[in-house]
Amino acid sequence: MAESPTSQALPQLSPELLEQYFIIRPSQRWKEIQDARTRLQELKQDKPYENMEADRDRVVTYRDVLQRSGRTIALAICLAAHLRRFSAQPAGKFSDALAVVSSGLDLQSLDETTKLTELERCIREVVTADNLPVLEIPLEGGAASWRAALEQWLAVVNKTPAHEMREVRRDAWTTWDSRLLAFVQGRADEWPPDINYLRCRAEGSAPGTILPARLGRLTLPQMTDALTAALTPVSTVDDAKECPATFSLALLLALRFDLVSELGDPLDTVVQSFLQGRGVSRTSGTSPSIKGVLIIRTPAGSRTTPWNINPSVPALVTTLQNCPMLFTGKSDLGRYLAPRLTGVLFEVDRTENVRDAARRYLNEFKKLLERFPNSQSIRGGLLLARPVGDMNALPPELRAVAVAPSDVAEAVRLAFGS
Amino acid sequence: LIAGPRGSGKTTLIDIAYQSTLSSVPGQRPVIVRLHGPSLLRGRVPSQTPGVAEQKAIDPNATDLMTENVLISLVTNLYQTVAEEFASAYRDIMCPRTPEDHERAAQLRLALDGAPGASTLRDFWESADAMETGVLFHPARRLSMNDVEALRKRPDQAKLEIAALATASEAYRRCTGKLETTEKDENNATREQELKTEASAKGKEIAQALVSVLAGLSVGGAAAASGTAATPSAVAGAVTALLGMVTLTYTSSMKRQSTTRREITFLPDLSVTVLVHRFPLLLRRLRQAGIAPIFMIDEIDKIPAAADSLNQLVSNLKFLCADTSFFCFLTDRAYLSDVAKKTRDTSNNTLLTVYTDLMFVLYETSSFSSYLDKVIRVPIIPDPKRLNELLWDKEALRLALVHRSRMLAFNLMREISEIRLQDDFLNVRQLRGDPLYQMFIVMQLAVEVVLCDPLVSERVRQDPDFGQIIYDALYYPSRIWYQGQEEMDCTLEGLEAGMTSLNSPGALVPGPSDRTDYLELLKPDDRKFLYAQVRVLLGFVCEPIRLRDRVIELIEKKQLTISNVVADVCSTAPILLTRKPGIENKDKYIWRYNWYCIPYKTADMGEIMETVAGADLLLDSMVNELLKVFPSPTVPDIEEDSIPAMGFIMDFQRELLSLKLTA
């Protein structure tokens, strides 16, 4: 019987696909298992070979992995089946949804138990059910009963009502506020990726793509990039790309800045309502008396890439290209940042001549200072990969130098001595 | 204080430092005085005289006894080192000369064994024509311009050398000489004067005397004629006559003898007080002669309960260690931790002033890799494909060797020597395809992946002491594997117990330990951190494919510098480790192969086929069932929902169209 065009467009689920999206994580790839199985066929012709035990181990181990992962596989398929409805891809929606499950939940970083727990949590958000069905693969009798149970559950998932995306995005943003504030309070684990985040991720809208929902390993440059993205005006009325002002406020707190004053419109108008009832204050991130730093990093190969947020050093790490968004975006943070910054550090690419870079950055520094009212106290400096031979060769305005700092606190200490 | 694990190259470190400073201080020759810590602190100094030991044994003051032992040991070893330095210098001067001179050089070497005195030394120096320049910086030896310049300011170099060596010799004799030995220093000053005259009065002699008088008078007359006063002239003549008469006629004798005799009997005093004062003098004289001793006290970690003895010792000898000499104490990590803790806890700790520098020798995997990269070279061959193969093999070998060494330098050297052929080629074949090498490559890649974690690398960088413990933790599974234990307990408690057992001083040295437990100083969070890293590591070893993915990710991020081809070894390596089945066995593992790649459990063909057939059933079934899964709603499902909705919309449109809008 010839397949219909519809069935041709659907993905063929296979162990390889499950491996690709880290839904199962065997010690050996499916292809290698197939090769091992082929070699083991030789035994039927009474032809022993040296690695037959190793091949047996591979096959048995893979079988064990699959058998133990029956429930994980089934739930991942169900979740992807739900998310495919939100996919913006014109074709390959199910594969796209599987990718969203994998990346959105960061399956690669999870151990098997946590992975299953996360999938169950998300499915419970899709389908209100007290008890999820039995989806394990029995040790004996093949996987037919497993597929039957899966398809029943798939029918339930596919029957769920359609969602209004505006509401999905709104709810996702609300969760982001809570997630970021929990991050500020050191409770980031309390807000793992939620179903609305995954739906937005499948849709490709801002709440699902602006930051990974697991904030534990989030770096300073990633968080700053999110802030500049959130402050970037959306050219047309595009709700999918629009970030609410509260998200920017939460990011500022997460970056360890305070929300005491000088925020300007529209942030100032929402700050009160944003903080109300959330158990956080305007200074939850840090103390307003602690001054921070603005680091202009190189677009590629930056030393700052792995830097984490330091709770005692408010900091922004952005590129020269994205930096203007802090002043000319939805809100002008110049007046806000001026009293909160010790200085500005420009990262010099390791391949660039330091003197040339300093000359170039001097102009940028002067332009930046124009953004800050009463900017006399803001110092300039360079972030270097190695010491500079003659400090006098640098412009006096950029002689605060941090050489090869390992984190933001060290950079501030080396450059500005505090 | 130089600390580091056994075999980490602490001694080599000092040797390299010594070599690099050998000619950097003009007019000074550093010499390394090697001292065996256990003998120094625990044992008795070998003595030629039983009486010395007996005397010490009854000494009620144990601290004094140990200090005395140490001083004796210092002096003995210092003399022997210095004597060897002089003998070598002497040989350098004499060897280019005649055979007799060669023999003279050998004689000096033997003479120095007997701790000669200054006069003997002087004799040797004279025969080498070194009474001006000395032997250490003799022009016949290779000297730098700076040495020559420095020696211009020391014109008495030979005397300084003889004085220094004689002082050392004398101190050595005190330490190794018999207790009964006496030194007699006899000083006889005898002055004897003899004045002997004879007198006789015989007739003939009188007649001769008269002639003499006349002669005397004639002398007087001549004197008068020459203008001299008459009376004195006459007197002179008379005196001449009288003298002639006395000489000839009078004999008398007078003897006076004066003798002073002083005899000193010197009994060598080996008490602490004397040596303590003698030792700084010896050091000063050696320095004056251009000898700069570096005392290297090794193997301290092999002494059970060393910390208290060492602390007591260095406190007593502080004025030697800190003020006049350069001492290197080589010990293990535990003692360093103790010292660091004591200096943290007590602001005015004596140890602070004794150990002016605390150094810790920590090898990172990158150090071993750099070394191997230098010593293993791939020949330049025109075939690029073959060249690439060799370069990949080199990477694979590097990983395997680093892991087989378990981060111990001497293990690494042994591993290299085992595969090194006489022509300096390495005897390795099928590196990436050999399951034996594959296992080690997987293990080492897993370690390096964990070390790439910024949290881990940062901790290693900031705190080398803790960094060593991280390395110990990451190589703990390999040590268990190496020991041939099939099962491994890596629960938090099991890991801590195992690491403590493997790394505590008692593991190699029997006897009670005074040191804190291996992990005792660690905070609970740090212990959990170690446990978490080991878990990550073992997760990768159990799942080599995941390890490969992670390695490739790190390669792309430029955090690991190996080839993807080498990372692919993980795909074909045997599964070395599995988790022990059962929930109750969390964090317990089973090694499938031993260190030599022999499976712990062998199977026959029939068993293999039976097992695989069982697995095949489920695999085939699963693959088929997966293909049948249809994740999208079915057409009837869609129709069930959409047809009523479409009907409603059409009805609504129709009603809208039929709506009559009236003004």
Side-chain angles (χ1 to χ4, degrees):
Chain A
M1 193 176 74
E3 288 185 87
S4 68
T6 311
S7 66
Q8 279 177 354
L10 286 170
Q12 289 197 325
L13 280 166
S14 66
E16 278 168 324
L17 199 69
L18 300 177
E19 285 172 7
Q20 183 186 337
Y21 294 118
F22 305 104
I23 294 161
I24 59 169
R25 201 160 46 195
S27 55
Q28 307 266 313
R29 290 235 185 274
W30 176 242
K31 185 181 173 305
E32 277 124 24
I33 300 305
Q34 296 284 63
D35 293 344
R37 291 173 80 190
T38 308
R39 285 192 297 272
L40 285 164
Q41 292 298 315
E42 297 283 308
L43 298 184
K44 289 179 181 167
Q45 275 88 49
D46 203 17
K47 288 181 185 170
Y49 61 98
E50 193 168 348
N51 288 327
M52 60 185 185
E53 284 168 304
D55 281 346
R56 174 206 56 190
D57 293 345
R58 289 186 180 111
V59 172
V60 169
T61 307
Y62 202 93
R63 186 271 315 266
D64 292 345
V65 168
L66 271 184
Q67 194 267 323
R68 282 203 307 265
S69 308
R71 189 175 180 78
T72 304
I73 297 168
L75 292 177
I77 291 171
C78 288
L79 188 57
H82 173 72
L83 294 176
R84 65 179 286 284
R85 295 162 70 176
F86 301 87
S87 172
Q89 300 294 323
K93 287 178 186 288
F94 183 72
S95 295
D96 183 49
L98 272 179
V100 167
V101 171
S102 179
S103 65
L105 294 178
D106 195 12
L107 295 185
Q108 189 178 3
S109 70
L110 304 181
D111 61 52
E112 297 308 306
T113 312
T114 315
K115 192 193 295 181
L116 182 60
T117 310
E118 287 287 273
L119 287 166
E120 284 181 344
R121 182 178 57 75
C122 291
I123 282 291
R124 282 181 203 281
E125 289 185 63
V126 174
V127 182
T128 310
D130 291 336
N131 295 313
L132 294 175
V134 176
L135 293 166
E136 274 74 17
I137 299 171
L139 275 169
E140 305 288 334
S145 61
W146 169 80
R147 182 174 65 88
L150 167 62
E151 289 196 333
Q152 278 184 9
W153 194 244
L154 266 174
V156 174
V157 169
N158 285 330
K159 274 277 186 189
T160 52
H163 293 77
E164 171 55 47
M165 275 317 291
R166 280 175 185 275
E167 289 173 13
V168 170
R169 288 182 211 127
R170 184 200 60 206
D171 292 347
W173 283 125
T174 307
T175 306
W176 264 118
D177 292 346
S178 303
R179 185 178 288 129
L180 284 167
L181 292 179
F183 172 78
V184 172
Q185 294 167 326
R187 301 182 287 108
D189 292 345
E190 291 178 14
W191 293 91
D194 60 298
I195 190 66
N196 288 323
Y197 166 78
L198 293 175
R199 286 166 178 156
C200 292
R201 195 169 179 84
E203 185 200 20
S205 57
T209 53
I210 195 157
L211 276 178
R214 291 195 195 282
L215 298 180
R217 286 186 168 243
L218 207 64
T219 63
L220 192 48
Q222 278 179 303
M223 195 73 94
T224 314
D225 286 349
L227 179 66
T228 53
L231 292 171
T232 304
V234 180
S235 56
T236 58
V237 180
D238 185 356
D239 190 56
K241 301 290 176 198
E242 184 68 36
C243 298
T246 54
F247 183 67
S248 303
L249 290 174
L251 284 172
L252 281 173
L253 281 180
L255 287 161
R256 308 301 167 177
F257 285 92
D258 68 273
L259 302 180
V260 173
S261 57
E262 292 120 354
L263 280 161
D265 284 333
L267 301 181
D268 218 9
T269 53
V270 295
V271 66
Q272 196 60 41
S273 59
F274 166 64
L275 295 171
Q276 202 164 19
R278 291 184 184 272
V280 289
S281 69
R282 286 170 178 261
T283 56
S284 285
T286 188
S287 161
S289 60
I290 297 176
K291 287 198 170 189
V293 64
L294 169 62
I295 296 176
I296 308 295
R297 65 180 165 91
T298 53
S302 170
R303 168 175 290 278
T304 64
T305 305
W307 285 6
N308 292 319
I309 292 166
N310 187 317
S312 57
V313 182
L316 296 167
V317 179
T318 187
T319 58
L320 205 52
Q321 188 185 3
N322 289 343
C323 185
M325 278 307 126
L326 298 171
F327 312 104
T328 60
K330 292 176 189 170
S331 181
D332 181 0
L333 294 183
R335 189 177 155 77
Y336 166 78
L337 288 174
R340 288 170 173 81
L341 293 181
T342 301
V344 180
L345 285 177
F346 293 88
E347 186 182 18
V348 177
D349 191 298
R350 62 180 66 237
T351 59
E352 191 176 3
N353 181 289
V354 175
R355 267 188 273 182
D356 295 345
R359 269 197 295 274
R360 190 162 53 81
Y361 283 138
L362 181 59
N363 293 332
E364 299 294 343
F365 180 56
K366 286 176 179 170
K367 281 188 215 167
L368 259 179
L369 288 183
E370 289 169 12
R371 304 276 188 193
F372 300 119
N374 302 318
S375 58
Q376 295 83 353
S377 66
I378 297 179
R379 297 167 64 192
L382 299 175
L383 190 66
L384 302 175
R386 49 186 164 270
V388 60
D390 180 12
M391 287 293 286
N392 292 328
L394 300 179
E397 295 91 336
L398 294 178
R399 283 193 190 156
V401 165
V403 179
S406 58
D407 58 27
V408 67
E410 193 181 355
V412 172
R413 185 174 53 79
L414 291 175
F416 306 119
S418 61
Chain B
L1 183 67
I2 301 171
R6 291 188 184 94
S8 59
K10 300 184 286 290
T11 313
T12 311
L13 173 74
I14 293 177
D15 283 341
I16 292 170
Y18 163 75
Q19 289 293 338
S20 65
T21 55
L22 203 52
S23 56
S24 61
V25 185
Q28 290 288 323
R29 283 285 174 271
V31 290
I32 297 182
V33 183
R34 293 170 200 271
L35 296 149
H36 185 235
S39 309
L40 198 65
L41 288 180
R42 188 180 51 185
R44 291 278 180 273
V45 176
S47 171
Q48 294 172 354
T49 311
V52 177
E54 283 160 19
Q55 192 186 43
K56 288 170 193 167
I58 57 170
D59 194 330
N61 191 328
T63 308
D64 279 357
L65 177 61
M66 188 181 72
T67 309
E68 187 176 323
N69 271 338
V70 168
L71 277 169
I72 290 171
S73 193
L74 288 178
V75 169
T76 308
N77 286 282
L78 175 61
Y79 170 73
Q80 286 169 348
T81 308
V82 168
E84 188 58 28
E85 181 71 16
F86 276 106
S88 297
Y90 197 80
R91 185 175 174 277
D92 288 350
I93 299 165
M94 301 301 261
C95 271
R97 302 185 187 178
T98 63
E100 288 75 22
D101 288 330
H102 296 182
E103 195 178 332
R104 192 77 175 137
Q107 276 176 355
L108 175 65
R109 201 173 281 269
L110 290 173
L112 286 171
D113 289 346
S119 58
T120 310
L121 295 172
R122 183 187 168 84
D123 185 40
F124 276 100
W125 260 239
E126 275 178 348
S127 59
D129 299 327
M131 278 311 290
E132 285 186 7
T133 59
V135 297
L136 291 177
F137 302 95
H138 193 277
R141 304 188 83 197
R142 280 193 304 177
L143 297 180
S144 68
M145 288 302 292
N146 290 335
D147 278 335
V148 174
E149 189 60 35
L151 284 169
R152 279 196 192 136
K153 296 170 188 166
R154 285 213 304 259
D156 54 348
Q157 173 64 21
K159 288 84 182 172
L160 291 172
E161 285 177 4
I162 291 169
L165 189 52
T167 308
S169 177
E170 180 258 356
Y172 176 70
R173 267 181 280 146
R174 280 168 183 263
C175 297
T176 58
K178 291 182 181 178
L179 189 67
E180 291 83 3
T181 301
T182 56
E183 285 182 16
K184 280 191 177 176
D185 191 352
E186 192 174 288
N187 184 1
N188 289 335
T190 301
R191 196 173 72 212
E192 191 171 305
Q193 285 180 329
E194 187 168 348
L195 182 64
K196 193 173 183 181
T197 53
E198 273 185 40
S200 64
K202 294 178 182 172
K204 186 182 173 184
E205 290 169 347
I206 292 171
Q208 286 173 343
L210 286 173
V211 173
S212 298
V213 170
L214 288 173
L217 289 175
S218 67
V219 169
S226 64
T228 315
T231 306
S233 301
V235 171
V239 168
T240 306
L242 279 173
L243 282 173
M245 185 179 68
V246 168
T247 304
L248 293 173
T249 62
Y250 175 76
T251 298
S252 65
S253 177
M254 186 181 72
K255 185 172 183 178
R256 191 175 67 207
Q257 184 172 9
S258 166
T259 300
T260 305
R261 184 181 179 85
R262 189 159 58 98
E263 182 176 316
I264 298 170
T265 300
F266 181 74
L267 291 174
D269 184 355
L270 290 177
S271 66
V272 174
T273 318
V274 172
L275 282 171
V276 158
H277 288 97
R278 200 70 187 159
F279 191 62
L281 174 72
L282 170 58
L283 291 174
R284 196 161 55 246
R285 288 190 180 166
L286 286 171
R287 291 292 294 270
Q288 285 167 352
I291 294 272
I294 299 161
F295 292 93
M296 182 172 81
I297 303 174
D298 204 352
E299 314 272 18
I300 290 171
D301 48 315
K302 291 188 179 156
I303 310 166
D308 280 348
S309 308
L310 198 56
N311 290 351
Q312 186 68 47
L313 172 74
V314 294
S315 301
N316 287 347
L317 299 182
K318 178 184 163 294
F319 78 104
L320 289 179
C321 302
D323 297 344
T324 59
S325 310
F326 182 42
F327 275 73
C328 300
F329 294 89
L330 274 58
T331 181
D332 66 350
R333 185 171 65 236
Y335 182 62
L336 178 76
S337 301
D338 279 351
V339 172
K341 185 172 185 302
K342 283 194 173 78
T343 49
R344 272 200 305 269
D345 295 348
T346 322
S347 59
N348 191 24
N349 196 301
T350 323
L351 297 177
L352 263 176
T353 51
V354 177
Y355 298 127
T356 45
D357 287 296
L358 300 181
M359 297 174 71
F360 183 69
V361 180
L362 168 65
Y363 286 105
E364 297 186 24
T365 51
S366 55
S367 322
F368 275 29
S369 296
S370 305
Y371 172 73
L372 288 171
D373 198 42
K374 272 185 204 163
V375 298
I376 302 175
R377 288 194 296 272
V378 171
I380 306 292
I381 51 174
D383 179 1
K385 195 177 169 192
R386 178 78 189 120
L387 184 62
N388 272 339
E389 290 282 336
L390 285 174
L391 289 169
W392 293 330
D393 278 347
K394 179 181 168 179
E395 283 181 4
L397 181 62
R398 190 266 295 172
L399 290 167
L401 287 179
V402 171
H403 199 80
R404 283 180 66 88
S405 75
R406 284 156 283 138
M407 291 309 294
L408 291 173
F410 65 83
N411 277 353
L412 183 68
M413 302 317 290
R414 194 174 57 199
E415 291 291 338
I416 294 172
S417 66
E418 278 182 10
I419 55 170
R420 185 175 179 171
L421 299 172
Q422 282 186 337
D423 56 2
D424 277 348
F425 277 85
L426 298 176
N427 182 22
V428 282
R429 289 171 193 276
Q430 296 293 321
L431 255 173
R432 284 168 287 132
D434 185 338
L436 178 66
Y437 281 105
Q438 287 178 335
M439 293 191 314
F440 295 113
I441 291 167
V442 166
M443 289 295 293
Q444 185 58 26
L445 280 174
V447 169
E448 296 195 8
V449 163
V450 175
L451 289 170
C452 275
D453 185 313
L455 282 177
V456 179
S457 57
E458 194 62 16
R459 288 298 302 269
V460 173
R461 195 181 66 84
Q462 288 180 354
D463 183 356
D465 191 25
F466 186 64
Q468 181 62 53
I469 297 176
I470 291 177
Y471 271 93
D472 288 344
L474 294 181
Y475 281 89
Y476 169 75
S478 296
R479 293 177 72 177
I480 295 294
W481 182 33
Y482 178 69
Q483 287 182 345
Q485 297 182 32
E486 194 177 342
E487 283 194 31
M488 181 170 60
D489 179 359
C490 279
T491 55
L492 180 59
E493 299 76 22
L495 180 70
E496 287 184 354
M499 284 179 66
T500 305
S501 162
L502 279 176
N503 294 289
S504 60
L508 289 176
V509 182
S513 167
D514 64 325
R515 285 176 272 205
T516 46
D517 234 7
Y518 174 63
L519 298 173
E520 197 177 293
L521 295 175
L522 291 187
K523 295 175 193 162
D525 281 353
D526 285 342
R527 295 175 185 215
K528 285 181 189 162
F529 179 81
L530 293 176
Y531 161 71
Q533 302 317 317
V534 173
R535 255 191 119 219
V536 172
L537 168 87
L538 295 176
F540 282 128
V541 178
C542 287
E543 301 169 32
I545 282 294
R546 191 160 65 87
L547 173 63
R548 186 186 67 175
D549 293 341
R550 181 67 181 143
V551 169
I552 288 173
E553 192 184 327
L554 291 170
I555 292 170
E556 284 167 1
K557 287 181 180 171
K558 299 191 188 311
Q559 291 179 27
L560 261 184
T561 47
I562 61 161
S563 313
N564 287 11
V565 176
V566 178
D568 277 339
V569 168
C570 300
S571 309
T572 51
I575 297 165
L576 176 60
L577 189 71
T578 55
R579 293 181 178 88
K580 195 172 178 184
I583 300 170
E584 72 280 8
N585 290 319
K586 184 172 180 277
D587 290 332
K588 291 183 180 169
Y589 299 84
I590 298 171
W591 295 101
R592 300 176 76 102
Y593 297 86
N594 70 9
W595 187 261
Y596 308 99
C597 200
I598 297 166
Y600 278 109
K601 290 188 177 69
T602 53
D604 58 24
M605 267 178 56
E607 186 271 332
I608 290 174
M609 287 167 67
E610 192 182 331
T611 311
V612 171
D616 277 347
L617 273 178
L618 190 122
L619 288 175
D620 290 338
S621 167
M622 189 69 189
V623 170
N624 288 333
E625 297 303 330
L626 275 175
L627 283 171
K628 291 178 194 167
V629 171
F630 193 74
S632 304
T634 58
V635 174
D637 285 341
I638 299 290
E639 286 174 347
E640 188 186 344
D641 290 337
S642 58
I643 289 174
M646 286 193 294
F648 176 83
I649 291 168
M650 286 170 67
D651 287 347
F652 189 71
Q653 274 184 320
R654 197 164 43 244
E655 291 304 323
L656 277 177
L657 287 171
S658 61
L659 195 64
K660 289 180 182 171
L661 296 173
T662 53

